[in-house]
Amino acid sequence: MNELAGKHIVLGLSGGIACYKAAELCRSLIKAGATVQVVMTEAAGQFITPVTMQALSGRQVFASQWDDRSAAGVDNNMPHINLSREADAIVVAPASADFMAKLLHGRADDLLSLMCLARPVDKVPLILAPAMNREMWAHPATQRNVVQLRADGATVLDVGIGEQACGETGDGRMLEPEELLYELVRFFTPKVLAGQHVLVSAGPTFEAIDPVRGITNLSSGKMGFAIARAAHEAGANVTLVAGPVSLPTPRGVGRINVKTALNMQKTLNVLSQNATVFISAAAVSDWRPAEAALQKIKKDGSGQVPVLHFVENPDILAGVARSPRASNRTLFCVGFAAESEDLLANAQAKRVRKGVPLLVGNIGPDTFGQDENALLLVDEQGTTELPRADKLVLARQLVGEIARRLRPGVPAPAAAAEAAQAPAGS
Ligand code: C5P
């Protein structure tokens, strides 16, 4: 997914064992469509060779301010100026304790710190991924430096927690390459949901028949999880209420696991009181066994089959949509409809029945468990088609569509606007 297409990243490495992760990060950035220019300190060269970084980035690596090679096509022997001028960001990963202390003081005795100091601060953001031993990270000097670097405009990312190369355990590990990639994609995402509290429900529910059996459905939760991620990328504070699925929680998203429709309802009713957007992507069981047997129902050899009685589950979305905050639009509710036929008519009818301003239709068998989907958005104004694509791509488009409805006057994202010209229904 070319999430960083067109972006030029200067990847700076300072000295630390986490330099091995920078190799993978470089690969991931390139896979995501970015171009990468590596700049290393002398200390970084003790941990990983410029040859490795050159091979992965496909560009010559710079390590010295006295390097007289042409830098970014300019021959004035000033790599500290030329290398940053076309950059969309300088990302220092790993950023050692020593390197951050140096940056803080505006010292510039090697190419990387010189380049950071000489960058146009309003055009080229500086993103630091700290990496160090837990005592170094916890030291008041480092914590002071982090505060000041942030105040000076740098984005200092979190650190990971866990085993460290030195054998100790604690805070200070550099984030993993995929986490860093996520942070960069988020960094570049327009914050169209800044200030919003987004509540997302996802996955199936599970309704027990007895202690070892139950009824559920084929929802994988992928669409809801992708929406939670996209909303967080767009600057929202996100809580995900998930039915039983084994998906990893998107970075930065709060997650509450629930099992049954009644659990889900209780949780969503409480959380929706503080949310500004509720996206109901969960596939809630319509019915549950009237009573779950306390012990496993046994086959007794007589050929007799158990008879199950069902009761209807509450419609969680319709209930939230009737709440006073939803009625006065302090809470914007978005429903989903998984249909097997006649998507447009079913989605329109469901929007009215659920009492929500926006309903997202999709074809159930085409989406359950799949990585791709196609969406049909139905609101008071009409319909918008989001053509088949990866669920994360669709989730980002949907987030743009929701943001536009929260703040009328914001233009439609290009892809959705084009799709809006296409005939509705699918
Ligand atoms: O009625 P149907 O199940 O097709 O409606 C789908 C929408 O309603 C989804 O947004 C789903 O999360 C929500 N729903 C609900 N409670 C139910 C059934 C569905 O909130 N019991």
Side-chain angles (χ1 to χ4, degrees), residues 280-282 284-286 313-317 335-337 350 353-354:
S280 183
V284 184
S285 290
D286 287 318
N313 271 326
D315 192 316
I316 305 170
L317 173 62
F336 265 73
K350 198 158 283 182
R353 202 166 62 245
K354 304 264 173 184

Side-chain angles (χ1 to χ4, degrees), residues 82-140:
N82 307 326
L83 290 175
S84 76
R85 290 304 181 261
E86 301 303 318
D88 290 290
I90 298 175
V91 179
V92 182
S96 66
D98 176 58
F99 189 74
M100 292 202 301
K102 197 182 220 185
L103 281 184
L104 176 87
H105 289 289
R107 286 185 52 204
D109 60 356
D110 67 80
L111 177 60
L112 185 56
S113 55
L114 181 57
M115 190 185 64
C116 291
L117 189 66
R119 83 190 200 281
V121 273
D122 47 346
K123 286 208 202 99
V124 182
L126 176 62
I127 302 171
L128 305 173
M132 64 200 72
N133 163 272
R134 67 190 173 113
E135 301 291 0
M136 294 166 78
W137 174 250
H139 196 285

Side-chain angles (χ1 to χ4, degrees), residues 35-370:
T35 49
V36 179
Q37 172 62 59
V38 175
V39 176
M40 296 170 60
T41 63
E42 204 186 324
Q46 297 289 328
F47 293 91
I48 191 165
T49 67
V51 177
T52 301
M53 297 311 292
Q54 179 174 353
L56 293 172
S57 64
R59 288 176 181 238
Q60 293 187 338
V61 169
F62 285 78
S64 162
Q65 68 270 46
W66 311 120
D67 193 329
D68 62 2
R69 284 173 300 168
S70 177
V74 187
D75 284 319
N76 60 2
N77 203 348
M78 295 187 189
H80 65 290
I81 303 290
N82 307 326
L83 290 175
S84 76
R85 290 304 181 261
E86 301 303 318
D88 290 290
I90 298 175
V91 179
V92 182
S96 66
D98 176 58
F99 189 74
M100 292 202 301
K102 197 182 220 185
L103 281 184
L104 176 87
H105 289 289
R107 286 185 52 204
D109 60 356
D110 67 80
L111 177 60
L112 185 56
S113 55
L114 181 57
M115 190 185 64
C116 291
L117 189 66
R119 83 190 200 281
V121 273
D122 47 346
K123 286 208 202 99
V124 182
L126 176 62
I127 302 171
L128 305 173
M132 64 200 72
N133 163 272
R134 67 190 173 113
E135 301 291 0
M136 294 166 78
W137 174 250
H139 196 285
T142 305
Q143 291 304 312
R144 241 183 355 252
N145 293 349
V146 168
V147 171
Q148 189 56 49
L149 284 165
R150 285 185 176 142
D152 290 349
T155 297
V156 184
L157 300 176
D158 286 344
V159 290
I161 304 170
E163 277 179 32
Q164 304 200 308
C166 54
E168 297 181 4
T169 302
D171 290 2
R173 286 164 59 113
M174 186 168 83
L175 295 180
E176 298 303 317
E178 70 270 17
E179 294 172 315
L180 290 173
L181 179 66
Y182 173 80
E183 290 295 343
L184 287 182
V185 170
R186 182 162 85 99
F187 182 84
F188 289 117
T189 304
K191 298 294 174 281
V192 293
L193 290 185
Q196 303 289 339
H197 289 257
V198 175
L199 179 61
V200 183
S201 72
T205 60
F206 179 90
E207 312 293 339
I209 293 172
D210 67 19
V212 295
R213 305 186 184 91
I215 57 166
T216 184
N217 59 62
L218 289 176
S219 167
S220 64
K222 286 180 184 169
M223 193 69 228
F225 275 60
I227 292 168
R229 173 177 171 166
H232 181 252
E233 286 173 352
N237 182 317
V238 184
T239 308
L240 178 61
V241 175
V245 293
S246 53
L247 296 173
T249 310
R251 202 173 148 68
V253 167
R255 173 174 180 174
I256 297 174
N257 289 327
V258 295
K259 205 165 172 187
T260 66
L262 291 178
N263 290 158
M264 187 176 269
Q265 183 190 38
K266 206 170 155 194
T267 308
L268 289 172
N269 280 350
V270 171
L271 295 177
S272 61
Q273 287 170 25
N274 290 314
T276 56
V277 178
F278 170 41
I279 305 168
S280 183
V284 184
S285 290
D286 287 318
W287 305 280
R288 65 178 184 277
E291 270 173 39
L294 289 177
Q295 305 300 334
K296 184 181 171 191
I297 302 171
K298 296 274 194 203
K299 199 165 53 173
D300 63 7
S302 69
Q304 279 219 326
V305 293
V307 177
L308 295 177
H309 294 284
F310 289 92
V311 290
E312 197 171 316
N313 271 326
D315 192 316
I316 305 170
L317 173 62
V320 173
R322 276 193 305 270
S323 69
R325 294 183 69 248
S327 307
N328 68 21
R329 286 282 180 102
T330 316
L331 173 66
F332 185 84
C333 292
V334 182
F336 265 73
E339 302 295 341
S340 58
E341 55 171 1
D342 210 356
L343 185 58
L344 178 59
N346 280 318
Q348 279 170 333
K350 198 158 283 182
R351 187 184 85 79
V352 174
R353 202 166 62 245
K354 304 264 173 184
V356 293
L358 178 62
L359 193 114
V360 183
N362 53 182
I363 295 289
D366 290 352
T367 176
F368 279 8
Q370 314 245 352

